[in-house]
Amino acid sequence: MKFSKFGQKFTKDSAILQLMDDLGNALNSDKPVNMLGGGNPASIPELNAVYQQTLESVVADAFALDSVGNYSNPQGDTKFINTLVEFFNRHYGWGLTSDNIALTNGSQNAFFYLFNLFAGQFDDGTDKAILLPLAPEYVGYADVHIDGVHFVAVPPNIELVTHEDREGFFKYRVDFDALENLEKLKNGKIGAICCSRPTNPTGNVLTDDEMARLTAIAKKYGVPLIVDNAYGMPFPNIIYTDTTLSWDCDTVLCFSLSKVGLPGTRTGIIVADAPIIKTISNMNAIVNLSPVRFGATVATPLFADDRIKTLSDTVIAPFYQTQASLAVSRLQVEFDGYPVKIHKPEGAIFLWVWFENLPISTTVLYQILKEQGTLIIPSEHFFVGVDTTNYPHAKECIRLSIAQHDETIIKGIATIGEVVRRLYDGV
Ligand code: PLP
């Protein structure tokens, strides 16, 4: 049996496969695992109660049954799209119409569409890439191109900062000098710019000033700026800095219901200029016939009365902020006196920890910790589009999920502490 080139791509190891495999194996394992590796959102009882109650009421509603019992059109469930149009216009005044929104089967599906739409081979023979203005970035972007890998990324400027008046933190900043002088950008080899905000894996939140500069660069070169709001405003709103969210016809905003606690509904939302939405709808028709309708059905009442926003602001964001504080304080105890720094926690459901001058790569550390029952994600895979050969920082960090129960976070960080201290001490 022989696979096509396209097929062969799926037979190779990929970071996202490893991540999903480990997550699945840990969830199905009968051995206790300190699962600090996955991207699964937390199970928050207060949220689950609302979803359960909403689910019960939509199931009792004849229209809801009708909407699950029929395909939607390829753009996605019309009732949810109209509700989203009103929701975004109510909160942001963007003047959207239903031509500006399409649904996808999770936002991962949206990135598959968007990255293949804006990068790859073009009619004029150019081969364009997606520009990630700040690496590290979401590992799930890495393998979505149907031919080749089309990413160019700029490593960050690293600034040492304080967090809640404590030392031991750093923050990544976009290296605009490098970005503005990038040959591929100047030579028309970039098809779109993309960033996640907050960033998976680091919990960094690009500032409004950085976003304004990225918007200006995108406009100057006539390419869209794609902003991945999987953890961002206005839902699940896991952001602890003062930031605003903007949209115009040159911006593509991606949202997801996953991190509000509904990852199994596989619901992604794209807000973009009408011609992009039309093309996404056509892609939906070809790949899926129509996107999953179930998440839309459950979510519609929560968006109609803004409950999703209230839950985000009063339940989801505070939950993760508390977990971040717990993890930070445990890490600072474990690594007191060691050259270990934490990326300033500004949002998302992760902490990003930097073991400066660690004698082994964190890819090797990942294996050691896995054998001891603690899962983390090593940093190298997240430097999508960066040649990491001579870039030690890319091999010195780990991503920790803070979505778990306190006990798992405490035990997991204690194991990391023991192993890493021994490595630094050379014993
Ligand atoms: N974008 C980011 C930054 C993510 O972390 C994830 C999932 O972890 C996704 C997109 C994809 O999420 P989903 O397909 O569940 O919407």
Side-chain angles (χ1 to χ4, degrees):
M1 183 180 57
K2 286 208 172 123
F3 287 147
S4 68
K5 274 195 176 162
F6 171 74
Q8 285 172 37
K9 191 179 156 74
F10 299 96
T11 63
K12 296 196 182 112
D13 279 347
S14 105
I16 192 78
L17 286 181
Q18 160 115 62
L19 198 150
M20 293 311 286
D21 270 358
D22 283 348
L23 175 67
N25 293 343
L27 290 175
N28 295 325
S29 159
D30 44 10
K31 279 201 260 154
V33 176
N34 299 319
M35 182 56 194
L36 304 183
N40 220 48
S43 174
I44 306 175
E46 204 174 334
L47 271 187
N48 295 349
V50 175
Y51 296 147
Q52 188 163 349
Q53 186 226 327
T54 314
L55 206 55
E56 279 163 12
S57 63
V58 292
V59 167
D61 177 336
F63 171 79
L65 282 178
D66 182 49
S67 80
V68 177
N70 290 305
Y71 292 115
S72 72
N73 65 32
Q75 189 184 349
D77 185 277
T78 306
K79 194 169 180 220
F80 188 40
I81 288 177
N82 290 337
T83 304
L84 285 166
V85 167
E86 284 172 21
F87 175 85
F88 286 121
N89 287 343
R90 184 161 69 244
H91 292 289
Y92 297 105
W94 290 334
L96 301 179
T97 72
S98 57
D99 292 341
N100 296 118
I101 297 186
L103 305 182
T104 54
N105 290 340
S107 60
Q108 187 69 21
N109 182 197
F111 291 106
F112 177 78
Y113 291 161
L114 290 166
F115 290 168
N116 283 298
L117 200 56
F118 292 113
Q121 292 286 324
F122 281 68
D123 277 348
D124 62 3
T126 41
D127 194 0
K128 299 196 191 209
I130 300 294
L131 171 60
L132 306 175
L134 183 71
E137 251 300 356
Y138 171 46
V139 66
Y141 297 156
D143 297 297
V144 303
H145 284 118
I146 53 170
D147 68 356
V149 178
H150 300 274
F151 288 103
V152 171
V154 181
N157 284 331
I158 300 177
E159 197 179 301
L160 297 185
V161 296
T162 56
H163 176 64
E164 295 170 349
D165 295 328
R166 280 182 285 174
E167 303 287 333
F169 296 85
F170 67 103
K171 178 171 165 62
Y172 289 142
R173 302 260 183 206
V174 178
D175 182 348
F176 279 102
D177 282 346
L179 194 67
E180 279 157 0
N181 288 307
L182 205 68
E183 283 306 312
K184 287 206 164 166
L185 188 59
K186 292 192 200 158
N187 298 341
K189 299 273 175 62
I190 296 299
I193 302 177
C194 176
C195 55
S196 58
R197 188 182 190 233
T199 308
N200 173 0
T202 57
N204 186 37
V205 176
L206 291 167
T207 62
D208 281 356
D209 182 48
E210 285 174 315
M211 292 308 289
R213 289 182 76 175
L214 292 179
T215 305
I217 293 171
K219 282 185 193 296
K220 179 172 169 191
Y221 291 99
V223 298
L225 174 64
I226 302 170
V227 186
D228 179 351
N229 288 288
Y231 305 90
M233 280 170 287
F235 57 92
N237 204 19
I238 312 169
I239 293 194
Y240 319 124
T241 59
D242 260 347
T243 40
T244 50
L245 179 65
S246 320
W247 179 80
D248 65 17
C249 284
D250 302 322
T251 309
V252 178
L253 296 181
C254 296
F255 302 90
S256 168
L257 293 189
S258 294
K259 313 302 169 176
V260 299
L262 296 170
T265 66
R266 310 307 301 127
T267 308
I269 299 156
I270 301 179
V271 174
D273 199 15
I276 299 177
I277 293 301
K278 181 74 192 103
T279 311
I280 297 289
S281 305
N282 295 350
M283 291 169 121
N284 266 341
I286 290 167
V287 177
N288 297 308
L289 297 185
S290 76
V292 176
R293 232 172 161 183
F294 182 64
T297 307
V298 178
T300 300
L302 300 171
F303 280 78
D305 63 9
D306 281 343
R307 249 179 306 163
I308 199 73
K309 196 167 176 326
T310 314
L311 287 169
S312 298
D313 296 347
T314 62
V315 178
I316 303 175
F319 172 86
Y320 288 107
Q321 195 162 20
T322 305
Q323 299 311 87
S325 296
L326 169 71
V328 162
S329 60
R330 296 316 307 163
L331 285 164
Q332 291 211 313
V333 168
E334 292 292 335
F335 294 112
D336 189 20
Y338 288 82
V340 176
K341 296 184 186 66
I342 306 167
H343 191 286
K344 189 173 172 66
E346 297 183 318
I349 64 173
F350 311 105
L351 284 191
W352 181 252
V353 187
W354 176 18
F355 303 114
E356 201 171 1
N357 299 324
L358 192 72
I360 58 169
S361 75
T362 50
T363 304
V364 178
L365 176 66
Y366 162 78
Q367 293 297 346
I368 300 174
L369 290 171
K370 189 168 150 183
E371 274 158 31
Q372 305 209 8
T374 291
L375 288 182
I376 52 96
I377 307 283
S379 48
E380 195 165 357
H381 302 305
F382 293 100
F383 286 81
V384 180
V386 175
D387 178 0
T388 55
T389 325
N390 295 314
Y391 187 38
H393 178 74
K395 295 162 195 157
E396 293 180 341
C397 303
I398 61 167
R399 189 192 78 176
L400 295 181
S401 163
I402 51 166
Q404 309 305 322
H405 298 296
D406 294 8
E407 201 195 339
T408 308
I409 292 178
I410 293 167
K411 278 208 223 141
I413 290 177
T415 309
I416 299 167
E418 264 168 49
V419 171
V420 171
R421 282 195 309 270
R422 250 186 277 131
L423 287 166
Y424 274 127
D425 296 343
V427 291

